[in-house]
Structures are given as C-alpha cells and as structure tokens.
Amino acid sequence: INTVLEAEGKITLPVISLATGSVIKLIISALFISNVKIGIFAASAGTFLSYLIPLFISVCYLKGKIAYKIRFSECIFIPLFSSAVSVICGLLIRPVLQNVGNERVKSLIFLLAVGIIYLILSVILSKKYLKSMDKYVKINKRIVWCL
C-alpha cells in the first residue's frame, strides 16, 4: 500500500502513517511491558497495532481515491482463514515433533510445515476467488494460472 501511495505522489503519507504506528508501539510497550500480568504479550500487541494503524490510515486514504470496491473476502478472509487453519495444523503438528531431539530441526520442520500449509491454502483460495471474479473483470489467464 505504501508503494501505491508513493506512486500516487503521496510520499509523506506512508512516512506519517508508519511514524504514527511506531509511536503507538512505543507507548504500548512503555506502558504495558512492565506490567507483570501483561508482560511480553504487550510487545506482540504493540507490534500488531504498529502495523494495523498505518494500514488503516493508508486504506482510508486510498478508499477515497479508488473507484473499485474492496471486498472483505479479497483482503481479509483469505489470509485470515489460511492463518487460522495453519495455526490449527501447527497445534496438531507440535505434539508429533516432541520426539525430535534437536530444537533447531524441530523449529525448522514446524515453521516449514505451517508456512507450506498457509501458502497452499492462500493459493487455492486466491485462485477460486480470481476465477469467480473473471466474469466481472477481464483477467489475464496466465496470471490466474501463476497464482
């Protein structure tokens, strides 16, 4: 999205949105990491919000500039569903890897398995989505095939 904004000529908007996200992350980290009940979880929450807020700012700007209506399934459902299934599969794979002695090998196998599941699901769902859009938008068949 930042590249699209820069191509649009709005060079400062990505910088402002990313700076806003960084400030939010610093505030959340400073306030909540020292809390015993929240602790290190505040770091991941701060990181999540530091990406979400710039995305929200950029999308709000682009929404007014783009005539194409952005669909929920296109932007959120496919990655969310793929991530959820990957996490569930990761929870199922984890007990199987308990017998692997080397922690690095165990981590590598786990990450590869979850990543491959995510990519396969994303590709399958994206192909189905693009094929369903083919009747509305003229899409190059080679692009659909490559996805």
Side-chain angles (χ1 to χ4, degrees):
I1 289 179
N2 289 338
T3 305
V4 172
L5 288 171
E6 289 171 4
E8 175 75 18
K10 300 295 180 188
I11 298 170
T12 57
L13 186 62
V15 174
I16 292 169
S17 66
L18 290 172
T20 304
S22 297
V23 168
I24 295 297
K25 180 177 180 163
L26 287 172
I27 291 170
I28 289 174
S29 296
L31 292 176
F32 296 113
I33 287 180
S34 61
N35 186 335
V36 177
K37 292 182 181 179
I38 300 172
I40 197 68
F41 294 112
S44 60
T47 301
F48 175 74
L49 288 174
S50 75
Y51 289 118
L52 186 66
I53 289 171
L55 176 67
F56 180 74
I57 292 169
S58 300
V59 167
C60 285
Y61 174 79
L62 285 176
K63 188 175 180 184
K65 294 286 183 178
I66 296 175
Y68 176 75
K69 187 172 181 168
I70 299 172
R71 296 181 180 183
F72 174 77
S73 63
E74 179 181 350
C75 297
I76 297 173
F77 177 72
I78 292 173
L80 183 66
F81 179 76
S82 299
S83 298
V85 171
S86 297
V87 167
I88 292 168
C89 290
L91 292 173
L92 296 174
I93 292 170
R94 188 173 170 213
V96 174
L97 295 176
Q98 293 299 333
N99 296 332
V100 177
N102 190 345
E103 292 296 323
R104 288 184 182 178
V105 173
K106 187 188 307 186
S107 297
L108 183 63
I109 292 171
F110 180 79
L111 289 173
L112 283 173
V114 171
I116 289 170
I117 292 167
Y118 176 81
L119 288 175
I120 289 171
L121 283 172
S122 295
V123 166
I124 290 170
L125 292 173
S126 295
K127 273 188 178 181
K128 287 184 179 181
Y129 180 75
L130 286 175
K131 285 181 182 177
S132 70
M133 282 200 50
D134 195 28
K135 57 186 169 187
Y136 302 110
V137 180
K138 197 165 193 151
I139 298 175
N140 188 342
K141 295 293 184 187
R142 282 183 267 163
I143 294 174
V144 174
W145 185 79
C146 290
L147 290 175

